[in-house]
Amino acid sequence: NHVNPAMDFTQTPPGMLALDNMLYFAKHHQDAYIRIVLENSSREDKHECPFGRSSIELTKMLCEILKVGELPSETCNDFHPMFFTHDRSFEEFFCICIQLLNKTWKEMRATSEDFNKARKMVMQVVKEQIMRALTTKPSSLDQFKSKLQNLSYTEILKIRQSERMNQEDFQSRPILELKEKIQPEILELIKQQRLNRLVEGTCFRKLNSRRRQDKFWYCRLSPNHKVLHYGDLEESPQGEVPHDSLQDKLPVADIKAVVTGKDCPHMKEKGALKQNKEVLELAFSILYDSSGQLNFIAPDKHEYCVWTDGLNALLGKDMLSDLTRNDLDTLLSMEIKLRLLDLENIQIPDAPPPIPKEPSNYDFVYDCN
């Protein structure tokens, strides 16, 4: 706004934060600021990158990426340690990104004639550069800066092309049909791995009425997958515990259901739900007979997934854990890639080749000699 520049900062976000960022950059990174201003003033008018407008748009985008101005989310797991390495980390973050924006503007040969169109195109690339650098969880702002140096506009184009080709390959009809055919084999492989882990057994912690850890107990599946052997231990064992040292047995045929989390009987007891969320997420129970139950608290999330998957497999139910989904995706992708190795650089047709006509007669034999 040439008449009243203050009007440029009325929209929030970014509001006055954009002006603060521009001022910080000019004061604390004077050489870089002067270089950008001189570069743009010496360019042809149509190729200049307007510093003020670009700074406002960039600040707005950084607010979106980092969710500045939004309430904290309990479900969000993003953590960026580099923001704890500097007292003015957001301003420093902006200073790195405004230099990246200027560089990308030059590489894309954007023009200010149609600023809105150019801004949209350049900002998309800059956002992708920033997001890709952030996903590597750099530990410092310098490390973040060096990551961005390897993500030039040319490199982003290469990455996009590679991802698009992979996406197209794996979404074609023949590949989807191949996935469908292979998936049961992969699921059977995962099932066998889960059952083998149950045969090895696991040491679980046992909680007393005060919810304190006091003893251990061990549970394992028999090699013929028909009986669960379990029993108390005085201390955590080193290696497997033999079947004959476990006093109690539970035939798999007697198991009625497997329940998890809040549905577990030992989690419904008075005060049990007040304990930390981690324990609740690791709890599962086997229900048998009319009122029999075997209550578990897994040592970690991996063991929880292994046991709930294995028990569901024993009952003929689907394995629904996150671990199974990840294993299935990984193994399926690897198997598809292995099978397609011989077809590298060969175009896979969408439709199968036509079936040849039947021969005019069948009066022929193959001489196997």
Coordinates of all heavy atoms in Angstrom, one line a residue, residues 164-224:
R164 N 6.7 -38.8 -8.5 CA 5.5 -38.9 -9.4 C 5.6 -40.2 -10.2 O 4.7 -41.0 -10.3 CB 5.5 -37.7 -10.3 CG 4.2 -37.7 -11.2 CD 4.0 -36.3 -11.8 NE 5.1 -35.9 -12.6 CZ 5.9 -34.8 -12.2 NH1 5.6 -34.1 -11.1 NH2 6.9 -34.4 -13.0
M165 N 6.9 -40.6 -10.6 CA 7.0 -41.8 -11.4 C 6.8 -43.0 -10.5 O 6.1 -44.0 -10.9 CB 8.5 -41.9 -12.0 CG 8.7 -40.9 -13.1 SD 10.4 -40.9 -13.7 CE 10.6 -42.6 -14.3
N166 N 7.3 -43.0 -9.3 CA 7.0 -44.1 -8.4 C 5.5 -44.2 -8.1 O 5.0 -45.3 -8.0 CB 7.8 -43.9 -7.1 CG 9.3 -44.1 -7.2 OD1 9.7 -44.9 -8.1 ND2 10.1 -43.5 -6.4
Q167 N 4.9 -43.1 -7.9 CA 3.5 -43.1 -7.6 C 2.7 -43.6 -8.7 O 1.8 -44.5 -8.6 CB 3.0 -41.7 -7.3 CG 1.6 -41.5 -6.7 CD 1.4 -42.1 -5.3 OE1 2.4 -42.4 -4.7 NE2 0.2 -42.3 -4.9
E168 N 3.0 -43.2 -9.9 CA 2.3 -43.7 -11.1 C 2.5 -45.2 -11.3 O 1.6 -45.9 -11.6 CB 2.8 -42.9 -12.4 CG 2.3 -41.5 -12.5 CD 3.0 -40.7 -13.6 OE1 3.8 -41.2 -14.3 OE2 2.6 -39.5 -13.7
D169 N 3.8 -45.6 -11.1 CA 4.1 -47.1 -11.2 C 3.2 -47.9 -10.3 O 2.7 -48.9 -10.7 CB 5.6 -47.3 -11.0 CG 6.4 -46.9 -12.2 OD1 5.8 -46.6 -13.2 OD2 7.6 -46.7 -12.0
F170 N 3.2 -47.4 -9.0 CA 2.5 -48.3 -8.0 C 1.0 -48.1 -8.0 O 0.4 -48.8 -7.3 CB 3.1 -47.9 -6.6 CG 4.5 -48.6 -6.4 CD1 5.6 -47.9 -6.7 CD2 4.6 -49.9 -5.9 CE1 6.9 -48.5 -6.5 CE2 5.8 -50.5 -5.7 CZ 6.9 -49.8 -6.0
Q171 N 0.5 -47.1 -8.7 CA -0.9 -47.0 -8.8 C -1.5 -47.5 -10.1 O -2.7 -47.4 -10.3 CB -1.3 -45.5 -8.6 CG -1.0 -44.9 -7.3 CD -1.7 -45.7 -6.1 OE1 -2.8 -46.1 -6.2 NE2 -0.9 -46.0 -5.1
S172 N -0.7 -48.0 -11.0 CA -1.2 -48.6 -12.2 C -2.0 -49.9 -12.0 O -1.7 -50.6 -11.0 CB -0.1 -48.8 -13.2 OG 0.8 -49.8 -12.7
R173 N -2.9 -50.2 -12.8 CA -3.8 -51.3 -12.6 C -3.1 -52.7 -12.5 O -3.3 -53.4 -11.5 CB -4.8 -51.4 -13.8 CG -5.9 -52.5 -13.6 CD -6.9 -52.5 -14.7 NE -7.5 -53.7 -14.8 CZ -8.2 -54.1 -15.9 NH1 -8.3 -53.4 -16.9 NH2 -8.8 -55.3 -15.9
P174 N -2.1 -53.0 -13.3 CA -1.3 -54.2 -13.2 C -0.7 -54.4 -11.8 O -0.6 -55.5 -11.2 CB -0.3 -54.2 -14.3 CG -0.9 -53.3 -15.3 CD -1.6 -52.2 -14.5
I175 N -0.1 -53.2 -11.3 CA 0.6 -53.3 -10.0 C -0.4 -53.5 -8.9 O -0.1 -54.2 -7.9 CB 1.4 -52.0 -9.8 CG1 2.4 -51.8 -10.9 CG2 2.1 -52.0 -8.4 CD1 3.5 -52.9 -11.1
L176 N -1.5 -52.8 -9.0 CA -2.5 -53.0 -7.9 C -3.0 -54.5 -7.9 O -3.3 -55.0 -6.8 CB -3.7 -52.1 -8.2 CG -3.4 -50.6 -8.0 CD1 -4.6 -49.7 -8.4 CD2 -3.0 -50.3 -6.5
E177 N -3.2 -55.1 -9.1 CA -3.6 -56.5 -9.1 C -2.5 -57.4 -8.5 O -2.8 -58.4 -7.8 CB -3.9 -56.9 -10.6 CG -5.2 -56.3 -11.1 CD -5.5 -56.6 -12.6 OE1 -4.7 -57.4 -13.1 OE2 -6.5 -56.2 -13.1
L178 N -1.3 -57.1 -8.8 CA -0.2 -57.8 -8.3 C -0.1 -57.7 -6.8 O 0.1 -58.7 -6.1 CB 1.2 -57.3 -8.9 CG 2.4 -58.1 -8.5 CD1 2.4 -59.6 -8.8 CD2 3.7 -57.5 -9.1
K179 N -0.3 -56.5 -6.3 CA -0.4 -56.3 -4.8 C -1.5 -57.1 -4.2 O -1.3 -57.7 -3.1 CB -0.7 -54.8 -4.5 CG 0.5 -53.9 -4.4 CD 0.1 -52.5 -4.0 CE 1.3 -51.6 -3.8 NZ 0.9 -50.2 -3.3
E180 N -2.6 -57.1 -4.8 CA -3.8 -57.9 -4.3 C -3.4 -59.4 -4.2 O -3.8 -60.1 -3.3 CB -5.0 -57.7 -5.2 CG -6.3 -57.8 -4.5 CD -7.5 -57.4 -5.4 OE1 -7.5 -56.2 -5.8 OE2 -8.3 -58.3 -5.7
K181 N -2.7 -59.8 -5.2 CA -2.3 -61.3 -5.3 C -1.3 -61.6 -4.2 O -1.3 -62.7 -3.6 CB -1.8 -61.6 -6.7 CG -1.5 -63.0 -6.9 CD -1.0 -63.3 -8.3 CE -0.7 -64.8 -8.5 NZ -0.2 -65.0 -9.9
I182 N -0.3 -60.7 -4.0 CA 0.8 -61.0 -3.1 C 0.4 -60.8 -1.6 O 0.9 -61.4 -0.7 CB 2.0 -60.0 -3.4 CG1 2.5 -60.3 -4.8 CG2 3.1 -60.1 -2.3 CD1 3.6 -59.3 -5.2
Q183 N -0.6 -59.9 -1.3 CA -0.9 -59.5 0.1 C -1.2 -60.7 1.0 O -0.7 -60.7 2.1 CB -2.1 -58.5 0.0 CG -2.4 -57.9 1.4 CD -3.3 -56.7 1.4 OE1 -3.0 -55.8 0.5 NE2 -4.2 -56.6 2.2
P184 N -2.0 -61.7 0.6 CA -2.3 -62.8 1.5 C -1.0 -63.6 1.9 O -0.8 -64.0 3.0 CB -3.2 -63.8 0.6 CG -3.8 -62.9 -0.3 CD -2.8 -61.8 -0.7
E185 N 0.0 -63.7 1.0 CA 1.3 -64.3 1.3 C 2.0 -63.5 2.3 O 2.6 -64.1 3.3 CB 2.2 -64.4 0.0 CG 1.6 -65.2 -1.1 CD 2.4 -65.1 -2.4 OE1 3.6 -64.8 -2.2 OE2 1.9 -65.3 -3.5
I186 N 2.0 -62.2 2.2 CA 2.7 -61.3 3.1 C 2.1 -61.4 4.5 O 2.7 -61.5 5.5 CB 2.7 -59.8 2.6 CG1 3.4 -59.7 1.3 CG2 3.4 -58.9 3.6 CD1 4.9 -60.1 1.2
L187 N 0.7 -61.4 4.5 CA 0.0 -61.5 5.8 C 0.3 -62.8 6.5 O 0.4 -62.8 7.7 CB -1.5 -61.3 5.6 CG -2.0 -59.8 5.3 CD1 -3.5 -59.8 4.9 CD2 -1.8 -59.0 6.6
E188 N 0.4 -63.8 5.7 CA 0.7 -65.2 6.3 C 2.1 -65.1 6.9 O 2.3 -65.7 8.0 CB 0.6 -66.2 5.2 CG 0.8 -67.7 5.7 CD -0.2 -68.1 6.8 OE1 -1.3 -67.6 6.8 OE2 0.2 -68.9 7.7
L189 N 3.0 -64.5 6.2 CA 4.4 -64.3 6.7 C 4.4 -63.6 8.1 O 5.1 -64.0 9.0 CB 5.2 -63.6 5.7 CG 6.7 -63.5 5.9 CD1 7.4 -64.9 5.7 CD2 7.4 -62.6 4.9
I190 N 3.7 -62.5 8.1 CA 3.6 -61.7 9.4 C 2.9 -62.5 10.5 O 3.4 -62.5 11.6 CB 2.8 -60.4 9.1 CG1 3.5 -59.5 8.1 CG2 2.5 -59.6 10.4 CD1 2.7 -58.3 7.6
K191 N 1.9 -63.2 10.1 CA 1.2 -64.1 11.1 C 2.2 -65.1 11.7 O 2.2 -65.3 12.9 CB 0.0 -64.8 10.5 CG -0.7 -65.8 11.3 CD -1.8 -66.5 10.6 CE -2.4 -67.6 11.4 NZ -3.4 -68.4 10.6
Q192 N 3.0 -65.8 10.9 CA 3.9 -66.8 11.4 C 5.0 -66.1 12.3 O 5.4 -66.7 13.3 CB 4.6 -67.5 10.2 CG 3.7 -68.4 9.4 CD 3.0 -69.4 10.3 OE1 3.6 -70.0 11.2 NE2 1.7 -69.6 10.0
Q193 N 5.4 -64.9 11.9 CA 6.4 -64.2 12.7 C 5.8 -63.9 14.1 O 6.5 -64.1 15.1 CB 6.8 -62.9 12.0 CG 8.0 -62.2 12.7 CD 7.5 -61.2 13.8 OE1 6.4 -60.8 13.8 NE2 8.5 -60.9 14.7
R194 N 4.5 -63.5 14.1 CA 3.9 -63.1 15.4 C 3.8 -64.4 16.3 O 4.0 -64.4 17.5 CB 2.5 -62.5 15.2 CG 2.5 -61.3 14.4 CD 3.1 -60.1 15.1 NE 2.9 -58.8 14.4 CZ 3.7 -58.3 13.6 NH1 4.8 -58.8 13.3 NH2 3.4 -57.1 13.0
L195 N 3.3 -65.5 15.7 CA 3.2 -66.8 16.4 C 4.5 -67.3 16.9 O 4.6 -67.8 18.0 CB 2.5 -67.8 15.6 CG 1.0 -67.5 15.2 CD1 0.4 -68.6 14.2 CD2 0.1 -67.4 16.4
N196 N 5.6 -67.1 16.1 CA 6.9 -67.5 16.6 C 7.4 -66.7 17.8 O 8.0 -67.3 18.7 CB 7.9 -67.4 15.4 CG 7.7 -68.4 14.3 OD1 7.1 -69.4 14.5 ND2 8.2 -68.1 13.1
R197 N 7.0 -65.4 17.8 CA 7.3 -64.6 18.9 C 6.6 -65.1 20.2 O 7.1 -65.1 21.3 CB 7.0 -63.1 18.6 CG 8.1 -62.4 17.8 CD 9.4 -62.2 18.7 NE 9.2 -61.3 19.8 CZ 9.1 -61.6 21.0 NH1 9.3 -62.9 21.4 NH2 8.9 -60.7 22.0
L198 N 5.3 -65.5 20.0 CA 4.5 -65.9 21.2 C 5.1 -67.3 21.7 O 5.1 -67.5 22.9 CB 3.1 -66.1 20.7 CG 2.1 -65.0 21.1 CD1 2.6 -63.7 20.3 CD2 0.7 -65.3 20.7
V199 N 5.6 -68.1 20.8 CA 6.3 -69.3 21.2 C 7.5 -69.0 22.0 O 7.8 -69.7 23.0 CB 6.6 -70.2 20.0 CG1 7.5 -71.4 20.4 CG2 5.3 -70.7 19.3
E200 N 8.3 -68.0 21.6 CA 9.5 -67.6 22.4 C 9.1 -67.1 23.8 O 9.8 -67.3 24.8 CB 10.2 -66.5 21.7 CG 10.9 -66.9 20.4 CD 11.6 -65.8 19.7 OE1 11.7 -64.7 20.3 OE2 11.9 -65.9 18.5
G201 N 7.9 -66.4 23.9 CA 7.4 -65.9 25.1 C 7.9 -64.5 25.5 O 8.9 -64.0 24.9
T202 N 7.3 -63.9 26.5 CA 7.6 -62.6 27.0 C 7.5 -62.5 28.5 O 6.6 -63.1 29.0 CB 6.7 -61.5 26.3 OG1 6.8 -61.6 24.9 CG2 7.0 -60.1 26.7
C203 N 8.3 -61.7 29.1 CA 8.2 -61.5 30.5 C 7.4 -60.2 30.7 O 7.7 -59.1 30.1 CB 9.6 -61.3 31.1 SG 9.6 -60.9 32.9
F204 N 6.3 -60.3 31.5 CA 5.4 -59.2 31.8 C 5.6 -58.7 33.2 O 5.9 -59.5 34.1 CB 3.9 -59.6 31.5 CG 3.6 -59.9 30.1 CD1 3.7 -61.2 29.7 CD2 3.3 -58.9 29.2 CE1 3.4 -61.6 28.4 CE2 3.0 -59.3 27.9 CZ 3.1 -60.6 27.4
R205 N 5.3 -57.4 33.4 CA 5.3 -56.9 34.8 C 4.0 -57.2 35.5 O 2.9 -57.1 34.8 CB 5.7 -55.5 34.9 CG 4.9 -54.6 34.0 CD 5.6 -53.2 33.9 NE 4.9 -52.4 33.0 CZ 4.4 -51.1 33.2 NH1 4.6 -50.6 34.4 NH2 3.8 -50.4 32.3
K206 N 4.0 -57.5 36.8 CA 2.8 -57.7 37.5 C 2.6 -56.6 38.5 O 3.5 -56.3 39.2 CB 2.9 -59.1 38.2 CG 1.6 -59.7 38.7 CD 1.9 -61.1 39.1 CE 0.6 -61.8 39.4 NZ 0.8 -63.2 39.9
L207 N 1.4 -56.0 38.5 CA 1.1 -54.9 39.4 C 0.3 -55.4 40.6 O -0.7 -56.2 40.4 CB 0.4 -53.8 38.7 CG 1.1 -53.2 37.5 CD1 0.3 -52.1 36.8 CD2 2.5 -52.7 37.8
N208 N 0.6 -54.9 41.8 CA -0.2 -55.3 42.9 C -1.3 -54.3 43.1 O -1.6 -53.4 42.3 CB 0.7 -55.3 44.2 CG 1.3 -54.0 44.5 OD1 0.8 -52.9 44.0 ND2 2.3 -54.0 45.4
S209 N -2.1 -54.4 44.2 CA -3.3 -53.6 44.4 C -3.0 -52.1 44.4 O -3.8 -51.3 44.1 CB -4.0 -54.0 45.6 OG -3.1 -53.9 46.7
R210 N -1.7 -51.8 44.8 CA -1.3 -50.4 44.9 C -0.8 -49.9 43.5 O -0.2 -48.8 43.4 CB -0.3 -50.2 46.0 CG -0.9 -50.4 47.4 CD 0.2 -50.1 48.4 NE -0.3 -50.4 49.8 CZ 0.4 -50.2 50.8 NH1 1.7 -49.8 50.8 NH2 -0.1 -50.5 52.0
R211 N -0.8 -50.7 42.5 CA -0.3 -50.4 41.2 C 1.2 -50.2 41.2 O 1.7 -49.4 40.4 CB -1.0 -49.1 40.7 CG -2.5 -49.2 40.6 CD -3.0 -50.2 39.5 NE -4.3 -50.7 39.8 CZ -4.8 -51.8 39.3 NH1 -4.1 -52.5 38.5 NH2 -6.1 -52.1 39.5
R212 N 1.9 -50.9 42.0 CA 3.3 -50.7 42.0 C 3.9 -52.0 41.4 O 3.4 -53.1 41.7 CB 3.9 -50.5 43.4 CG 3.6 -49.2 44.0 CD 4.1 -49.0 45.4 NE 3.7 -47.8 46.0 CZ 3.8 -47.5 47.3 NH1 4.3 -48.5 48.1 NH2 3.4 -46.4 47.8
Q213 N 5.0 -51.9 40.7 CA 5.7 -53.0 40.2 C 6.3 -53.8 41.3 O 7.1 -53.3 42.0 CB 6.7 -52.6 39.2 CG 7.4 -53.7 38.4 CD 8.3 -53.1 37.3 OE1 8.1 -52.0 36.8 NE2 9.4 -53.8 37.1
D214 N 6.0 -55.1 41.4 CA 6.6 -55.9 42.4 C 7.1 -57.2 42.0 O 8.2 -57.7 42.4 CB 5.6 -56.1 43.6 CG 4.3 -56.8 43.1 OD1 4.1 -56.9 41.9 OD2 3.6 -57.3 44.0
K215 N 6.5 -57.9 41.0 CA 6.9 -59.2 40.5 C 6.8 -59.2 39.0 O 6.3 -58.3 38.3 CB 6.0 -60.3 41.1 CG 6.3 -60.6 42.6 CD 5.4 -61.8 43.0 CE 5.7 -62.1 44.5 NZ 4.9 -63.3 44.9
F216 N 7.4 -60.4 38.5 CA 7.3 -60.6 37.0 C 6.5 -61.9 36.8 O 6.4 -62.8 37.7 CB 8.7 -60.7 36.4 CG 9.5 -59.5 36.6 CD1 10.4 -59.3 37.6 CD2 9.4 -58.4 35.6 CE1 11.1 -58.1 37.8 CE2 10.1 -57.3 35.7 CZ 11.0 -57.1 36.8
W217 N 6.0 -62.0 35.6 CA 5.4 -63.3 35.2 C 5.7 -63.5 33.7 O 5.9 -62.6 33.0 CB 3.9 -63.4 35.6 CG 3.0 -62.6 34.8 CD1 2.9 -61.2 34.9 CD2 2.0 -63.0 33.8 NE1 1.9 -60.7 34.0 CE2 1.4 -61.8 33.4 CE3 1.7 -64.2 33.3 CZ2 0.4 -61.8 32.4 CZ3 0.7 -64.2 32.3 CH2 0.0 -63.1 31.9
Y218 N 5.7 -64.8 33.3 CA 6.1 -65.1 32.0 C 5.0 -65.9 31.3 O 4.3 -66.7 31.9 CB 7.4 -66.0 32.0 CG 8.2 -66.0 30.8 CD1 9.2 -65.1 30.5 CD2 8.0 -67.0 29.8 CE1 9.9 -65.1 29.4 CE2 8.7 -67.0 28.6 CZ 9.7 -66.0 28.4 OH 10.5 -66.1 27.3
C219 N 4.8 -65.6 30.0 CA 3.8 -66.3 29.3 C 4.4 -66.7 27.9 O 5.1 -65.9 27.3 CB 2.6 -65.4 29.1 SG 1.2 -66.3 28.3
R220 N 4.1 -67.9 27.4 CA 4.5 -68.3 26.1 C 3.6 -69.3 25.5 O 2.8 -70.0 26.3 CB 6.0 -68.9 26.2 CG 6.1 -70.1 27.0 CD 7.6 -70.6 27.0 NE 8.0 -70.9 25.7 CZ 9.3 -71.4 25.4 NH1 10.2 -71.5 26.4 NH2 9.6 -71.7 24.2
L221 N 3.6 -69.4 24.2 CA 2.7 -70.3 23.5 C 3.5 -71.6 23.2 O 4.7 -71.6 23.0 CB 2.3 -69.7 22.2 CG 1.4 -70.4 21.2 CD1 0.0 -70.6 21.9 CD2 1.2 -69.7 19.9
S222 N 2.8 -72.7 23.3 CA 3.4 -74.0 23.0 C 3.8 -74.1 21.6 O 3.1 -73.5 20.7 CB 2.5 -75.2 23.4 OG 1.3 -75.1 22.7
P223 N 4.8 -74.9 21.2 CA 5.2 -75.0 19.8 C 4.1 -75.5 18.8 O 4.1 -75.1 17.7 CB 6.3 -76.0 19.8 CG 6.9 -75.9 21.2 CD 5.7 -75.6 22.1
N224 N 3.1 -76.3 19.4 CA 2.0 -76.7 18.5 C 0.8 -75.7 18.5 O -0.2 -76.0 17.9 CB 1.5 -78.1 19.0 CG 0.9 -78.0 20.4 OD1 0.8 -77.0 21.0 ND2 0.6 -79.2 20.9

